[in-house]
Amino acid sequence: MAHIPDGILAAPVLIGGAVLAAGGVALALRQIDDRAIIRTAILSATFFAGSLISVPVGPSSVHLLLAGLMGVMLGSGAFLSVLVGLVLQALLFGFGGLTTLGVNTVNIALPGVVLGLALGPAIRRTTRPGLRAALAAIVGALSVLGTGGLVAACLALSSPAYAPVASVLLATYLPLALVEAAITAAVVGFLARVEPDALRPAA
């Protein structure tokens, strides 16, 4: 449930999310260059397709986020990539919501951007495949858990009645964190071998 639908969150949470998302997208647009446009579009399309496939886990459902991978490959450009994917999903399939676009963008993109900025340089610098895979797996897993924590926080801040649901919801992200750790490690390892420059954010 990384895609929070309309009508659930309180107005201050929606406004705060919109402001943060606008700041992230503005930063991405200011820093992006020609090299990043195609990469951003490809990752946005991958996120768009992957997150449409939801797997039931307990009382909720989860889907691929790929925020950690986007954070490593795009840096702040992940905000733009996620926003485009969310807008298309909301307009074409009614997935998520329009009033929650800002909140959902921040919840998904922010953990990946922060972890990509923190561990991305070490991932690109190391020549040890095992260490690179471990760091990439950490980025992938913690990005998912970060998104789960932000979703839970948004729900809890909107209404105390959501607090029990928020804690259960957070637990459903644990299996996804393991899956994304493996995917991120595999993709980063592959790109490091065949196209290392793809791991250098152009934004």
Side-chain angles (χ1 to χ4, degrees):
M1 192 182 164
H3 292 59
I4 301 175
D6 293 323
I8 291 179
L9 300 181
V13 175
L14 293 173
I15 294 170
V19 170
L20 290 175
V25 171
L27 179 63
L29 290 174
R30 180 185 303 176
Q31 295 181 345
I32 199 169
D33 65 17
D34 292 342
R35 293 184 302 129
I37 294 176
I38 295 177
R39 191 188 310 173
T40 301
I42 291 172
L43 285 171
S44 184
T46 305
F47 164 75
F48 171 84
S51 59
L52 285 175
I53 304 172
S54 296
V55 178
V57 178
S60 182
S61 63
V62 296
H63 54 75
L64 290 178
L65 300 172
L66 306 177
L69 183 61
M70 287 189 282
V72 171
M73 295 180 65
L74 300 176
S76 62
F79 283 106
L80 182 59
S81 189
V82 169
L83 177 62
V84 170
L86 290 177
V87 169
L88 291 175
Q89 288 175 346
L91 294 178
L92 296 178
F93 302 106
F95 197 35
L98 294 176
T99 63
T100 56
L101 276 174
V103 170
N104 289 335
T105 298
V106 171
N107 288 349
I108 295 172
L110 182 60
V113 171
V114 171
L115 287 161
L117 292 174
L119 296 181
I123 290 173
R124 292 183 284 272
R125 186 170 56 245
T126 185
T127 57
R128 297 164 56 189
L131 177 58
R132 182 186 300 115
L135 291 172
I138 290 171
V139 171
L142 291 185
S143 295
V144 171
L145 296 179
T147 292
L150 288 174
V151 171
C154 288
L155 293 173
L157 289 172
S158 294
S159 172
Y162 291 145
V165 177
S167 59
V168 173
L169 184 65
L170 181 57
T172 66
Y173 281 82
L174 294 175
L176 179 61
L178 298 177
V179 172
E180 293 236 9
I183 291 174
T184 307
V187 173
V188 166
F190 174 76
L191 291 175
R193 293 193 304 273
V194 302
E195 187 61 44
D197 284 344
L199 297 177
R200 301 183 184 279

